[in-house]
Amino acid sequence: MVTLEFFDPSGRLEVKQPHARRLDALAGKRVGFVSNEQWQAYRMLPLLKSLLERDFAGIEVLPIDAFPQGNALIGTEETAEQVKKSGVDAVIIGNAA
Amino acid sequence: MQNAISGLGLAPDAAMVTFPIGLFLPGSDIAPVEARKREFYDGLTRWTPSVAGGAGGASRVIAVPGATFEDALVNANHAMLANQWGDGLPLWPPTRVRVDWILQGTPRPRAHALGTFPPRGGVATVETCAIALAMAGGRPEYLPVLVAAVEAFLDPESGSEQLQAASGSAFPVVIVNGPIGRQIRLNSGFGCLGPDPQHPAGASIGRALRLLQQNVGGARPGVGTMANYGGLRYTNVVFAEDEDNLPAGWPSHGTERHGFAPGQSSISLVFANGATNIRRRGAKKETPAEDALQGMHRMADFMRVPNLAGLAGYERGAPGILMIPGVVAQTMTGLGWTKRSMREFLWEHSRIPAEQLRRAGGYAWIEIDASQVARESAALDPWPITASPDNFVLIVAGGGHPTNSYWLQGYSPGVVGREIRVPEGFGRLLAEAERDLGG
């Protein structure tokens, strides 16, 4: 019997920060969208907004253009700052990749 | 998407609602969004990551048994494919002995971190590079080129963060300058973009880079990379400029584009996503001047296509890499052409008339580009395919024959250079290569 031992080539991962804490409920919360403005986001995200507003009392869902849109802008620190300053409790990111 | 999440330093998991591609196409029925609304709501309220965190520390060791060595070798190859670490071609298992041998090719400590590979965010160390090079059939004297290429790849200027995962099938092109090209048997002549038993280095180095992209970076087709086609990704493209045949007065690419001293071994990394041969030579009784001019037009005409690949590097990247054989560069220099005048000709004659750009829907892509320079270029008619003639990468390489040139269509936000650092005792490694592979 022969045994070949070799290295796993996938390298290690470093987890540097936890995921955002989830909300206890959606009623009465403030939710925003960060959109790449592609892949039918202009249809799907407004639909999601209307569903949330219909299903949860007191929820405030910001319009899809409340924050900068497009792949060139949504990953910037400036956009992240705007999202933080807006006071939203949660953000939905779309659409596809 | 999990790759992108881990690439941000989070546990590799995310609250996602995924749909088949049809939902995302124009005119689709988006009713499934409502049908699955509960999944969106749960993602905001109840979701928890299924993966607590990544592994830390040194590379994990896998043990694969077999009745004989050959049996174990087969089983090791099966295991590497089963773990999605392979590329479908046979691999050398990266044993400690083989990895330690390859690590002789660098002056750096094996644990030295070069950065994190996007989109997955796996940590690339010198050891990880040696592991990939071992799998790809490499040798220690190749490691300095691979390490420099990885450094350039991980430089944000290269655009690798987007291109690793993007659908446009980008592959890195590594152009080597300086004496190391000849020393380690990189091809710069006939067949320099393909397999060559006389010059095996490029295939191993490029394959190792690809394995790093896949295994450390998570770029597996349809999962971590959405490249529609993925051409030239078995080995990427790694070759040397044919510096022996540069015309008098032509700086090498490394010196001209990156400012490296003549004779300094270096790499230059450019992303491309297309490759084509261009018939350059005339066929009848052209004068040398006519032959040169017709060839220049044929090359420029090929670049004048409204598929907008060059937008990725419009401002300071590259619309592509034009490779011409040394004999052509020397002939054209004799006719009065210079590297600069060739670039200016190509820039001027590859401009696209506005009407052609309009009918192809090109302006929509220009208008949403991240670069202000690119967006403002929409006012130009004919539209230049890149902001400046200097952006064309013009390389002397290929066999000593005047008929063809080669165009690697650029898809590269930047062109990144790195000096190559070799260890003390590099000459001994080269002598061992001569012993092993012949003089």
Side-chain angles (χ1 to χ4, degrees):
Chain A
M1 180 65 73
V2 175
T3 299
L4 263 179
E5 292 188 345
F6 57 89
F7 290 111
D8 173 341
S10 59
R12 60 193 166 84
L13 291 173
E14 288 180 341
V15 177
K16 299 172 184 166
Q17 57 181 324
H19 283 277
R21 201 154 44 88
R22 302 295 111 172
L23 304 179
D24 54 358
L26 287 168
K29 295 296 193 302
R30 187 174 161 86
V31 176
F33 289 106
V34 172
S35 168
N36 64 1
E37 214 180 4
Q38 293 196 25
W39 302 108
Q40 308 303 305
Y42 78 100
R43 298 162 61 210
M44 291 166 64
L45 299 186
L47 171 60
L48 205 47
K49 171 177 158 65
S50 66
L51 293 170
L52 284 160
E53 288 170 343
R54 189 184 71 193
D55 291 346
F56 299 98
I59 194 170
E60 181 188 3
V61 183
L62 304 184
I64 62 169
D65 60 356
F67 304 118
Q69 300 179 80
N71 281 327
L73 300 173
I74 61 176
T76 64
E77 288 299 322
E78 291 76 12
T79 299
E81 273 307 308
Q82 284 189 43
V83 172
K84 285 179 195 168
K85 279 185 183 167
S86 72
V88 292
D89 299 298
V91 169
I92 296 171
I93 301 170
N95 217 18
Chain B
M1 187 58 78
Q2 288 173 344
N3 278 334
I5 299 299
S6 64
L8 295 171
L10 298 155
D13 198 2
M16 292 183 285
V17 185
T18 58
F19 295 94
I21 187 67
L23 190 76
F24 301 99
L25 302 181
S28 65
D29 174 11
I30 61 171
V33 173
E34 181 167 7
R36 294 175 59 188
K37 64 182 182 181
R38 181 59 53 190
E39 294 176 54
F40 288 96
Y41 302 165
D42 287 349
L44 294 166
T45 55
R46 301 171 54 174
W47 177 85
T48 56
S50 59
V51 183
S59 300
R60 191 166 59 108
V61 174
I62 312 295
V64 175
T68 62
F69 175 78
E70 186 169 331
D71 192 34
L73 187 60
V74 169
N75 290 339
N77 266 273
H78 289 166
M80 286 189 276
L81 276 182
N83 281 290
Q84 299 185 41
W85 297 332
D87 56 9
L89 300 176
L91 293 156
W92 282 97
T95 60
R96 178 170 289 281
V97 168
R98 180 160 288 275
V99 170
D100 287 353
W101 173 59
I102 285 179
L103 282 166
Q104 293 177 58
T106 178
R108 298 182 178 181
R110 68 191 299 154
H112 177 76
L114 302 169
T116 55
F117 250 93
R120 174 172 169 261
V123 179
T125 63
V126 170
E127 181 187 76
T128 325
C129 292
I131 290 170
L133 195 52
M135 293 170 74
R139 298 182 53 88
E141 68 271 17
Y142 303 168
L143 187 58
V145 176
L146 178 62
V147 168
V150 169
E151 287 180 325
F153 187 98
L154 299 181
D155 187 322
E157 178 77 8
S158 77
S160 59
E161 187 173 352
Q162 291 80 37
L163 299 180
Q164 265 278 82
S167 62
S169 296
F171 55 86
V173 177
V174 179
I175 304 160
V176 176
N177 280 107
I180 200 167
R182 177 189 294 278
Q183 289 169 342
I184 69 167
R185 301 164 191 247
L186 268 172
N187 200 347
S188 63
F190 284 104
C192 62
L193 302 188
D196 179 2
Q198 304 165 95
H199 302 94
S204 289
I205 295 166
R207 188 186 184 200
L209 180 54
R210 183 67 221 166
L211 290 171
L212 288 164
Q213 291 177 253
Q214 173 185 280
N215 296 333
V216 183
R220 296 187 178 87
V223 181
T225 166
M226 306 315 285
N228 280 108
Y229 300 104
L232 286 173
R233 285 187 167 185
Y234 276 104
T235 60
N236 294 321
V237 171
V238 183
F239 66 96
E241 186 165 39
D242 183 7
E243 295 188 32
D244 290 345
N245 286 302
L246 289 177
W250 279 52
S252 73
H253 171 69
T255 297
E256 183 189 48
R257 185 89 185 206
H258 303 295
F260 297 131
Q264 167 68 49
S265 290
S266 65
I267 66 98
S268 177
L269 187 138
V270 194
F271 277 98
N273 70 347
T276 192
N277 193 81
I278 301 174
R279 188 180 303 195
R280 193 214 59 83
R281 177 176 59 87
K284 284 195 169 179
K285 297 177 181 174
E286 299 84 3
T287 66
E290 288 169 344
D291 182 271
L293 186 60
Q294 289 171 3
M296 287 296 290
H297 274 296
R298 230 175 276 140
M299 292 188 278
D301 288 351
F302 211 96
M303 299 168 187
R304 198 177 58 247
V305 289
N307 72 349
L308 303 161
L311 260 185
Y314 197 85
E315 192 170 342
R316 58 181 184 277
I321 303 161
L322 181 65
M323 303 169 70
I324 59 172
V327 64
V328 172
Q330 289 166 5
T331 301
M332 293 190 68
T333 300
L335 292 167
W337 289 87
T338 64
K339 209 170 179 181
R340 168 156 287 283
S341 68
M342 288 179 72
R343 281 208 185 90
E344 287 173 347
F345 182 98
L346 294 170
W347 186 80
E348 186 62 41
H349 290 84
S350 62
R351 294 172 68 153
I352 303 171
E355 176 49 31
Q356 289 181 22
L357 202 56
R358 186 172 299 111
R359 75 186 184 197
Y363 285 108
W365 287 101
I366 296 170
E367 287 163 8
I368 65 168
D369 196 84
S371 159
Q372 185 177 348
V373 172
R375 292 195 301 273
E376 290 175 355
S377 74
L380 302 173
D381 182 13
W383 182 71
I385 65 169
T386 188
S388 163
D390 293 339
N391 289 347
F392 284 93
V393 175
L394 181 56
I395 301 290
V396 173
H401 186 291
T403 302
N404 302 293
S405 55
Y406 212 77
W407 175 238
L408 292 163
Q409 176 180 267
Y411 193 60
S412 203
V415 178
V416 181
R418 284 290 186 279
E419 290 188 1
I420 294 172
R421 295 171 56 192
V422 301
E424 287 184 23
F426 194 62
R428 175 180 56 78
L429 298 177
L430 299 178
E432 289 175 4
E434 188 152 324
R435 176 199 66 200
D436 295 345
L437 306 177

